[in-house]
Amino acid sequence: MVEKITNMNKLRGEIFLPGDKSISHRALMFASLANGTSEIFGLSSSEDVRSTMDCLKKLGIKIWNDKDKTYVKGTGLHGFQEPGGVLDAGNSGTTLRLLSGILTGQNFTSTITGDSSLKSRPMKRIIKPLMKIGANIEGGKNQYAPLTIKPGNLKAYEHQLNIASAQVKSCLLLAGLFAQGKTTIVEPSISRNHTEKMLKYLGAELAIEETSVTMEGMPELTSNVINVPGDISAAAFFMIAACLTKDSSIKIKNVGLNPTRTGIVDVLTKMGANFIFQNQETKNNEETGDVLIDSCALHGVEIKGDMIPRVIDEIPVLAVAATQAIGETVIKDARELRVKETDRIEAVVENLRRMGAQVTELEDGMVVPGNQKLTGAEIDSYGDHRIAMAFAVAGLFADGITTIKNPDCVKISHPNFFHQLKELADD
Ligand code: S3P
């Protein structure tokens, strides 16, 4: 199957996006660890979140839907049941890494694996620190998934991470739930902090400082109502699409605006975009609001350092935007992109070149000259949802037809993506 994208002007209208994927995974997992039944509004309909739900159900957790709500009957920290078979995290790194943290605290053996992409992503980054605290965890060849986790004896520890990774941080915090005493995680720069915010909301004792978090182990978590805001990473594609197509003006309703995720707003503002925010509020410790954005001219920018973890998932579409900016854009310190669902540096460089753009690949990023004409081409998504969506956006202002191969992979985070894009164009 392929998806064909043609030149579009004028994206107009209002949209609601699927629930934030990161918050949805956490809502399901943490509600499972709480006592009582939690009610979740706005859970993501993505395949990744479905993978988390299926794994939890295999661990004996009751999860059901009623209209727009998802209910999770938590069992407390120690109520999970031994699964009948291997747990399958599909394409989802968050499912595999966060659940591994929880599984190290259980009194049964489990094995967790994923699809071919996930089985080639680094797991040593969780295996090593988990073993340090007494977990009994073993990876396959080169420490890749499948991971087999047996009962261990976990102790509290102060971890110094050498990469800013919310998945690693969250995995270690979740393992720390099962250790007596204080677990501390120090990151080189701040990564998304949904885990900290939600654990606190459900009753854990956490102290958050700039780049460190300390949590008391063995908390009593209590069920609650959790509102999942729209996914700002999904919003990024529409923000850039609106910026770069003529006479556009869109409103994205109820988007998550947690400051550890709003790097896309800060980078686009620096590039010259104008945002208007409405109806801002905070629910279950997460900031949300409506975001309005119109067509605008963008300027090249440097994206590096502490900004990188705040825009890590948005870099493919920012690289596409950079081709249309006035002046050069430099992206560096983003080596982590090479170990996402695919090597996103290579995938972006390869596909931009297919569209006729000049781009220099760096080991940890890329240099994208501005003011470039893109030509419709056949795009290989490499099965990576964010590559497929970034190049669908490129197709909106490229000459001719852009064909996205394997477009179905958008289901990993945003099943309705192509439909919503077309709706905004037809409005
Ligand atoms: C995620 C964290 C990020 C991000 C991923 C989701 C999460 O990865 O790229 O899409 O939900 O914790 P790292 O922070 O591990 O790089």
Side-chain angles (χ1 to χ4, degrees):
M1 212 185 108
V2 296
E3 183 76 35
K4 291 191 188 299
I5 309 283
T6 50
N7 217 274
M8 280 182 201
N9 280 332
K10 242 175 55 176
L11 297 182
R12 285 177 173 265
E14 288 187 4
I15 46 168
F16 281 95
L17 295 172
D20 186 273
K21 191 155 76 74
S22 291
I23 298 176
S24 296
H25 286 297
R26 287 159 174 83
L28 290 170
M29 290 187 206
F30 305 174
S32 303
L33 294 169
N35 292 302
T37 300
S38 293
E39 264 175 60
I40 307 172
F41 289 86
L43 193 78
S44 163
S45 52
S46 66
E47 274 187 4
D48 269 7
V49 171
R50 165 64 57 184
S51 294
T52 289
M53 200 185 284
D54 290 347
C55 287
L56 291 169
K57 284 181 176 170
K58 270 199 175 163
L59 288 159
I61 303 298
K62 301 246 173 330
I63 303 173
W64 68 100
N65 291 317
D66 182 23
K67 296 190 189 109
D68 57 340
K69 273 182 268 184
T70 305
Y71 293 91
V72 180
K73 189 167 190 287
T75 55
L77 292 185
H78 297 102
F80 284 24
Q81 287 163 19
E82 183 164 358
V86 172
L87 299 167
D88 186 359
N91 191 244
S92 172
T94 307
T95 307
L96 196 141
R97 294 195 177 113
L98 270 59
L99 261 185
S100 295
I102 296 174
L103 293 170
T104 55
Q106 305 304 316
N107 62 3
F108 51 77
T109 298
S110 53
T111 298
I112 184 160
T113 190
D115 67 8
S116 59
S117 151
L118 190 51
K119 279 195 282 190
S120 59
R121 294 180 64 185
M123 293 302 150
K124 203 165 160 185
R125 54 180 62 194
I126 60 164
I127 295 176
K128 219 171 136 191
L130 284 173
M131 284 175 74
K132 236 186 221 161
I133 61 166
N136 193 340
I137 178 167
E138 207 176 280
K141 194 168 163 235
N142 296 324
Q143 311 263 49
Y144 290 142
L147 308 184
T148 295
I149 301 165
K150 296 184 180 151
N153 193 5
L154 302 181
K155 59 173 195 285
Y157 192 76
E158 179 169 327
H159 300 272
Q160 301 278 343
L161 304 189
N162 51 19
I163 40 169
S165 161
Q167 293 182 356
V168 175
K169 173 178 63 178
S170 302
C171 166
L172 298 175
L173 280 173
L174 290 167
L177 290 175
F178 300 90
Q180 205 66 253
K182 286 184 170 37
T183 290
T184 298
I185 323 269
V186 185
E187 296 188 278
S189 50
I190 189 164
S191 65
R192 63 191 68 186
N193 62 7
H194 306 300
T195 295
E196 296 89 310
K197 290 194 165 201
M198 199 180 295
L199 284 176
K200 205 168 186 174
Y201 178 67
L202 298 178
E205 240 179 80
L206 270 114
I208 305 171
E209 282 180 33
E210 194 92 327
T211 53
S212 88
V213 49
T214 298
M215 185 193 68
E216 195 64 54
M218 302 287 188
E220 270 268 319
L221 301 178
T222 309
S223 60
N224 211 332
V225 175
I226 302 172
N227 285 282
V228 182
D231 196 325
I232 189 165
S233 295
F237 299 101
F238 294 91
M239 290 173 182
I240 288 176
C243 260
L244 294 178
T245 49
K246 271 190 223 122
D247 299 323
S248 293
S249 180
I250 64 167
K251 185 192 259 194
I252 312 172
K253 306 264 286 178
N254 185 36
V255 185
L257 295 173
N258 175 321
T260 61
R261 295 287 297 285
T262 49
I264 182 67
V265 171
D266 296 347
V267 170
L268 285 176
T269 301
K270 208 163 157 202
M271 291 177 88
N274 232 325
F275 288 92
I276 296 174
F277 298 96
Q278 294 175 338
N279 299 322
Q280 283 179 266
E281 56 182 325
T282 300
K283 284 184 188 164
N284 41 267
N285 293 336
E286 292 284 353
E287 297 84 342
T288 66
D290 299 341
V291 178
L292 285 78
I293 185 164
D294 297 345
S295 310
C296 54
L298 296 179
H299 295 266
V301 73
E302 202 175 44
I303 311 172
K304 61 175 186 180
D306 289 354
M307 178 55 83
I308 295 296
R310 295 183 58 228
V311 285
I312 191 72
D313 293 339
E314 290 70 70
I315 291 175
V317 71
L318 277 168
V320 165
T323 63
Q324 307 305 296
I326 301 158
E328 179 181 88
T329 292
V330 178
I331 300 166
K332 54 187 189 188
D333 305 321
R335 203 170 286 104
E336 275 298 294
L337 287 176
R338 295 209 180 266
V339 291
K340 293 294 177 189
E341 285 83 331
T342 186
D343 178 338
R344 286 186 175 156
I345 295 178
E346 198 182 299
V348 167
V349 167
E350 158 69 17
N351 283 316
L352 281 179
R353 287 185 180 147
R354 285 188 190 194
M355 297 186 89
Q358 302 255 339
V359 48
T360 307
E361 179 170 352
L362 307 176
E363 203 264 317
D364 63 346
M366 64 195 86
V367 179
V368 187
N371 259 327
Q372 304 199 59
K373 213 174 163 48
L374 298 185
T375 311
E378 190 176 80
I379 298 301
D380 194 338
S381 65
Y382 298 96
D384 182 326
H385 54 132
R386 298 203 198 279
I387 299 297
M389 293 187 281
F391 283 87
V393 171
L396 299 179
F397 43 80
D399 284 345
I401 295 174
T402 298
T403 306
I404 314 281
K405 273 168 53 185
N406 188 6
D408 248 20
C409 61
V410 302
K411 286 189 189 149
I412 289 296
S413 60
H414 190 169
N416 222 8
F417 172 77
F418 291 109
H419 181 75
Q420 278 195 315
L421 194 59
K422 283 175 192 153
E423 262 194 352
L424 284 177
D426 290 340
D427 212 56

